[in-house]
Each structure stands twice: as C-alpha cells, then as structure tokens.
Amino acid sequence: MDGTNEREKGLYFALDNTNPFIDFNFQRLDELTLEATIGRKPTDEEIENAKSIPFSVDYVFCSECEKLFTEIEASFIEKILPRFRQSDLSGISVVTEEDVVTIRNFFYIQLYRSAICEDILNFPSDFLKKLRLNILEKNGDTSIPLSITYLQTVGGNATYTENYIGFTNDKNPFIVFMNDFIIQVYENEEAVKFLPFHGLNEQDNFAATININEQVFNFKIFDNARRKLFLNSVIVNEKVKKTIQYYRDMFDMFWRKLFGVDAPVLQKERYIHGLINGDENNLIKYSKQEVFEFTVAYMAKLFNVTK
C-alpha cells in the first residue's frame, strides 16, 4: 500500500473455526519470506491451492474497474495513509479525518474486492450490490456502519509482516484484517451489535467508534504494545485453543478404532504436549501431513512398534 501496483503480493489467511488448519493463500511471495511468516515451508498442496484462489489480484476485475480502483486507492495513499504510517501516534486513541469520501471509497473497494475473491467473506447480495454502486459513483455513502482500527506498527517495514491479512467468519460485524488496518462493517444500522473480539472492541466507547452518517471519520488507534497483545490473542483464541481440542478429539477417534474406547486422559495430554513442543503456536504451523506423520510415529513409539 505504497502507491505501487502490488496487489498480487502477500500472504493471506482465513480464520474458519471448522478447519483446524489455517488456509494460507499467497501469490508471488518469495520462499524465505513465506517460511519466516508461517514458520515452515509450504507443502506442494498448499502452493497449488493458493494458486487456484484469487485474492485481490488484477485479473479478477476488468481493466476499467482496476483503473477506478487505482484512482481511488492512490487518493487514499496520498492524502490519508501518511497521517498514520508517517506519524507518531503514541498516546493517541482516536484520529479524526475530514475527508470522509476518500476514506469510505477506499475501504469499500477493499471490502468489495475481498468479497468477490474469497467465499468466507459472504456478504448478502444486496449489500454487495450497494458496495459496488457506491464505488462506481465514488460518493462515499455514509449510511453503511463502518469501524476502522489502526494498528500502530513500530520497527520498520519488516515489522509489518507481524500483522495479518485475511478475514474471520463473523457476521455483523464482518471483519477484515488488512495489515495495519482492521475493517469492521455492518449491513445496516439495525445490524450493529457489540462483539468484543479479543479486545478489538470495548463496551464503553463502542458507539463512538462506529462511523455512520458522519461529518468526520474516526479511526480507533492501537499503540504498538496493544497491537501485539491483540494479534496474539486472536491467533491463540481463534485457532490454537480450538486446534488443541480438535487434536484431542482426533486422538480419541484414533484410539477408539484401535481399542473401542476413548483414549485415557493422560495419553491424550502427552500426545498434545508432544505436538505443542514447548509453544502452543506450533500447532498452527503444522501441515496435515506433518500431523499425520507425528501421530503415526507417536503411536508406534507408544506401543514399541518398529518398522
């Protein structure tokens, strides 16, 4: 988001609680950067799946649409973005901007493009149509409830790789992670409801962070320390804890096939302890094949089975 046309570059994820493995989609990302980001080399299957899923890539939209997108994005990059990335926001909890039209047009593009390219961001058809018309008319329609949180990211360009790009499967708000910006959008005013989402929203100032029919646009600011706490909480609570339970259930199923009963609690916890290997976040780095191989090796060692 620096004015160059690099929409195909990036690492994206979907937080889907029905799937214990994070789905990574990436285009034209060098192997070393990718490995450093997800903590392991991508499998051949992941690479092929990623290639088949377009996310915010130029060939999805017609040339006229892309020209319009570029025009709107360039305005935001020039007028608005420097006030965040090139400013010291320490001690500031809210930033107010007057150019509502530029801001809303920009974020409407991100929402529309993401919904077209990713099924998990499943907007109702009438809402998607409304976004599309707003973008084409460039009117900055303020009737759509919109909340934007900016994550102050300190430490140079490399630090931005700590942030996420992707979506959750929540509805109203629909939540989109866009590196150092987090978008929350609602279909209409009646759909607005409070969702804590690991500290992203707070009850006492919730109403003030929702932009609707506004004269000026309010951005909520998380300082660098709060950014790190929030992102860690998202991954731990949205993926790691649910993944641990998934592996417990899977181990029970495997044990029942062998012995007809659930696995002893002690054996399940030893299995989980082995998978965690000192860091719960390791669980989201494993591929399906790695989990399968670990489980086979664990059972073989448990029962002294040799090849």
Side-chain angles (χ1 to χ4, degrees):
M1 198 193 300
D2 58 2
T4 59
N5 185 14
E6 292 191 337
R7 278 195 286 273
E8 291 184 56
K9 288 189 177 180
L11 171 65
Y12 313 101
F13 70 92
L15 285 176
D16 181 353
N17 294 333
T18 63
N19 180 4
F21 302 96
I22 288 183
D23 292 328
F24 291 103
N25 312 325
F26 42 89
Q27 290 87 19
R28 298 199 313 195
L29 195 68
D30 67 89
E31 185 175 339
L32 289 177
T33 302
L34 178 61
E35 185 175 351
T37 305
I38 68 175
R40 60 172 171 80
K41 292 181 179 297
T43 65
D44 291 341
E45 180 184 3
E46 287 171 331
I47 292 173
E48 290 305 311
N49 286 341
K51 290 178 180 177
S52 68
I53 304 174
F55 179 99
S56 300
V57 290
D58 292 342
Y59 61 78
V60 176
F61 301 98
C62 69
S63 59
E64 288 301 311
C65 289
E66 283 297 343
K67 182 180 178 181
L68 175 63
F69 292 171
T70 300
E71 176 187 334
I72 292 173
E73 289 176 329
S75 180
F76 180 88
I77 290 167
E78 178 185 349
K79 299 177 182 179
I80 307 298
L81 191 60
R83 302 185 187 184
F84 292 90
R85 288 191 175 173
Q86 297 177 21
S87 299
D88 182 1
L89 302 177
S90 302
I92 298 174
S93 58
V94 176
V95 168
T96 299
E97 293 289 340
E98 295 183 354
D99 194 347
V100 173
V101 173
T102 294
I103 292 167
R104 280 191 173 267
N105 287 343
F106 174 80
F107 286 110
Y108 287 163
I109 285 176
Q110 313 313 315
L111 291 168
Y112 182 76
R113 183 191 287 123
S114 299
I116 293 297
C117 296
E118 285 287 344
D119 291 339
I120 194 172
L121 197 62
N122 187 23
F123 290 146
S125 58
D126 57 342
F127 182 70
L128 193 62
K129 181 180 179 180
K130 185 175 184 178
L131 285 175
R132 177 177 175 272
L133 291 176
N134 285 337
I135 293 168
L136 292 175
E137 295 173 5
K138 296 191 292 185
N139 59 14
D141 175 20
T142 61
S143 68
I144 297 175
L146 191 61
S147 176
I148 308 294
T149 301
Y150 180 70
L151 308 179
Q152 186 175 25
T153 305
V154 177
N157 290 337
T159 313
Y160 285 92
T161 63
E162 298 174 358
N163 298 333
Y164 306 144
I165 301 176
F167 331 94
T168 75
N169 55 5
D170 297 285
K171 304 288 188 292
N172 290 313
F174 297 86
I175 302 175
V176 177
F177 288 74
M178 204 180 77
N179 204 313
D180 44 343
F181 289 94
I182 299 178
I183 310 171
Q184 297 180 83
V185 67
Y186 305 80
E187 294 172 48
N188 50 55
E189 190 170 4
E190 291 70 34
V192 174
K193 65 179 184 295
F194 176 72
L195 178 70
F197 197 75
H198 315 300
L200 179 61
N201 300 311
E202 298 172 319
Q203 190 74 65
D204 58 350
N205 65 1
F206 174 67
T209 65
I210 303 294
N211 295 280
I212 182 169
N213 299 322
E214 75 277 6
Q215 299 300 312
V216 294
F217 197 96
N218 291 324
F219 290 82
K220 184 166 54 178
I221 308 299
F222 279 10
D223 64 26
N224 194 55
R226 188 174 179 185
R227 171 187 71 88
K228 291 181 178 180
L229 288 173
F230 167 69
L231 295 178
N232 183 69
S233 179
V234 169
I235 284 297
V236 169
N237 288 284
E238 290 292 310
K239 292 305 294 188
V240 173
K241 290 183 178 179
K242 293 177 176 65
T243 299
I244 288 175
Q245 187 56 49
Y246 170 86
Y247 287 136
R248 288 194 180 108
D249 294 342
M250 185 185 70
F251 193 77
D252 265 338
M253 181 181 66
F254 195 35
W255 197 277
R256 282 195 298 270
K257 288 184 177 181
L258 291 174
F259 305 110
V261 296
D262 285 348
V265 173
L266 180 60
Q267 289 296 347
K268 274 190 289 192
E269 295 313 306
R270 284 178 175 172
Y271 171 75
I272 295 297
H273 181 75
L275 272 173
I276 291 174
N277 193 27
D279 182 359
E280 287 187 345
N281 289 333
N282 284 333
L283 292 179
I284 63 173
K285 298 177 182 178
Y286 294 133
S287 66
K288 295 178 183 179
Q289 183 63 27
E290 286 173 326
V291 172
F292 174 77
E293 291 174 356
F294 175 87
T295 304
V296 169
Y298 179 89
M299 298 299 283
K301 182 178 180 181
L302 183 63
F303 297 106
N304 294 317
V305 176
T306 57
K307 294 182 179 180

